[in-house]
Amino acid sequence: MFDPAQLVKSLPDAFRKLDPRKMIKNPVMFVVEIGAVLTTVFTITDSSFFGWLIVAWLWLTVLFANLAEAVAEGRGKAQADTLRRAKTETEARLLRGPAHNGVEERVTATALHVGDLVVCEAGDVIPGDGEVVDGIASVDESAITGESAPVIRESGGDRSAVTGGTKVLSDRIVIRITSEPGETFIDRMIALVEGADRQKTPNEIALTILLSSLTIIFLLAIVSLQPMAAYSGDPQSIVVLVALLVCLIPTTIGALLSAIGIAGMDRLVQRNVLAMSGRAVEAAGDVSTLLLDKTGTITLGARQAVEFIPVGGVSAADVANAAQLASLADETPEGRSVVVLAKEGYGLRGRELLGSTFIPFTAENRMSGIDQPDGHQVRKGATSAVVSWVRELDGIIPEETAARVDEISSSGGTPLVVGERRHGSARVVGVIHLKDIVKEGLRDRFDELRKMGIKTVMITGDNPLTAEAIAREAGVDDFLAEAKPEDKMALIRREQEGGKLVAMTGDGTNDAPALAAADVGVAMNTGTPAAKEAGNMVDLDSNPTKLIEIVEIGKQLLITRGALTTFSIANDVAKYFAIIPAMFASVYPGLDTINIMRLSTPESAILSAVIFNALIIIALIPLALRGVRYKPTSAANMLRRNLWIYGLGGIVVPFIGIKLIDLLISLIPGIG
């Protein structure tokens, strides 16, 4: 996360940022730069070794502040360069006429406009952002996501969006362009990761106002100090007054504030999440309610067989044998899981099935099965379908069958009944328990979120009984069953009316209204253009559980900013004890009692404080970029930790640092 070599690479940018037109955006450091200019002018007219040392370290303070921001931006530029390599000047096959048999025309990608239809076949680079309107193809998106595995893009549904710069690996698709040249997804990514489009967040603006107010207060205090010093017979030089001002204003957080914000967005980019605004990152740190889709987020998304339950005196091994035979022609994930469970749990493999007729599963018959040459027939499927099949021969339906089916349903699972016919008779032999598997480790993560005061809500289209069972197993706080788009919107509005910030994920057009309404709306990169436009974040990996990481990154951003603000203001206390006694001890001997550091000379005390003030910025750059280590806990514990570590540390560290610098400076002739 932090490469010291980046400091050297970023030095030219740090010097360029000395331009007052850029510095004025950071009021605290702008005051330091003005102070550096004043001390330079006055030292030229009244040259002294002490004055030139102060001048040098004031300019270094400004430079180090710019360096912190430049290093943060430099990492973004490195990522932007990678993205630019994916943004090539591509030739497009513009389609004039119908999608199936229109006339093709070769044009450059920059000539495409919203609504144009283009054709892409295997080996073609997609010329611009768009939506597949015809066909299906395998697409390599590694240039954008870093993931080497190809993805499927097809017309209709929620996996129709394609990104310019990605490559078609197979088949033929027709794409409707949805962005103008220069406004593509990659263009926006480049601008955002470079920091060019980074707007200050509300909290950042509020903190800047606070720091500016403190700077003005200290400036007025220093201005009023000179008449008092003159009256006491010990007027201070401009160099000393500027040094005092720079040491007392919150330069540490003023220097690092921008870098903290840039690094927060950078940490999201590191995890393949693109934040469309800094506001979204900040809001993620204050989220109170987390809406999570069940399928693919909380559960694996495909029901799996977990148990064979015998009925009517049949053994579990016989049920496994029959279930596997009936599932060999079932290509659904559920059917595959039945075969795997029978193989792994009962060692059933290497079947002799020559001459058998396979019955594939269809939506009409709701069963799959096999008819063997010896007359043995087996079926597996929905309860009503298999029971009807058995009853066609007046077969046996054991009494416990209904009870087992009800038990599985009430637990949130899906029952499949297994029946067989042999020699003119039929019977139900058992029930398969299908279960939507909850992802491993999610309960622990939800427990962590609960400690942070975040409420988790599972959204699903399942019936309330199934939803309740899954919610209980996953450990979420609440659930919304049989959810429609308007139900999601109503839930978000209800939470927001209580003053809470809401985050949710989505990938479909029907999710767009809710994504737009949520404070943090994370759209999947595989989703529709409508969903990606509605959200304020896009997950390039299309991993819905990423929402939990996004919340953690947002909280880390807020914690880092708060910790360094606490440290910055606290270390001003130590610098006060270093400089004030040194300035007036000769006139007011009583001040010597607060000279607890016993610094060598007044000049050494002032210079030591200025040097420490500059060096602490460089020392904290890695922490600002990496972020304060985040640990889920309550707000009260977090505040207590901040005060103990960064509040107390902000007081103690400067005392030690300034004293050590003073010991070194005391060796310099004319200062010590």
Side-chain angles (χ1 to χ4, degrees), residues 355-481:
S356 298
T357 302
F358 293 100
I359 313 299
F361 176 87
T362 66
E364 289 74 28
N365 63 22
R366 298 188 299 150
M367 296 187 298
S368 64
I370 188 173
D371 293 344
Q372 294 183 292
D374 61 0
H376 184 209
Q377 298 178 326
V378 187
R379 296 290 185 273
K380 169 226 69 186
T383 303
S384 58
V386 175
V387 167
S388 297
W389 181 78
V390 170
R391 281 178 174 163
E392 288 176 5
L393 293 181
D394 296 324
I396 300 171
I397 313 293
E399 291 184 4
E400 67 262 41
T401 303
R404 299 292 175 265
V405 167
D406 290 342
E407 285 174 9
I408 294 171
S409 298
S410 62
S411 69
T414 301
L416 295 179
V417 173
V418 182
E420 65 177 5
R421 292 176 176 177
R422 193 191 298 266
H423 307 306
S425 63
R427 64 173 179 168
V428 169
V429 297
V431 182
I432 304 170
H433 184 179
L434 290 182
K435 183 179 178 183
D436 202 351
I437 306 297
V438 173
K439 291 183 177 179
E440 188 177 351
L442 272 189
R443 175 176 281 275
D444 293 336
R445 300 196 75 174
F446 291 147
D447 287 342
E448 291 178 0
L449 291 171
R450 198 170 293 111
K451 291 177 185 175
M452 293 153 39
I454 296 175
K455 175 185 176 183
T456 51
V457 181
M458 181 186 78
I459 299 177
T460 177
D462 288 341
N463 63 71
L465 200 63
T466 301
E468 183 181 9
I470 295 292
R472 187 168 54 249
E473 183 179 354
V476 295
D477 298 310
D478 201 357
F479 65 90
L480 179 65

Side-chain angles (χ1 to χ4, degrees), residues 555-582:
K555 285 198 171 292
Q556 186 183 36
L557 170 66
L558 296 179
I559 292 168
T560 302
R561 188 183 294 155
L564 292 183
T565 300
T566 303
F567 182 90
S568 177
I569 294 174
N571 71 30
D572 288 340
V573 175
K575 289 179 279 188
Y576 168 86
F577 278 98
I579 295 181
I580 296 297

Side-chain angles (χ1 to χ4, degrees), residues 30 45 47 131 133 209 235 312 505 553 669:
F30 183 62
T45 57
S47 182
E131 186 174 14
V133 295
I209 293 171
T505 61
I553 291 170

Side-chain angles (χ1 to χ4, degrees), residues 569-599:
I569 294 174
N571 71 30
D572 288 340
V573 175
K575 289 179 279 188
Y576 168 86
F577 278 98
I579 295 181
I580 296 297
M583 288 176 62
F584 297 107
S586 60
V587 178
Y588 300 106
L591 287 176
D592 195 53
T593 57
I594 63 172
N595 184 16
I596 56 179
M597 283 191 271
R598 299 299 170 191
L599 303 177

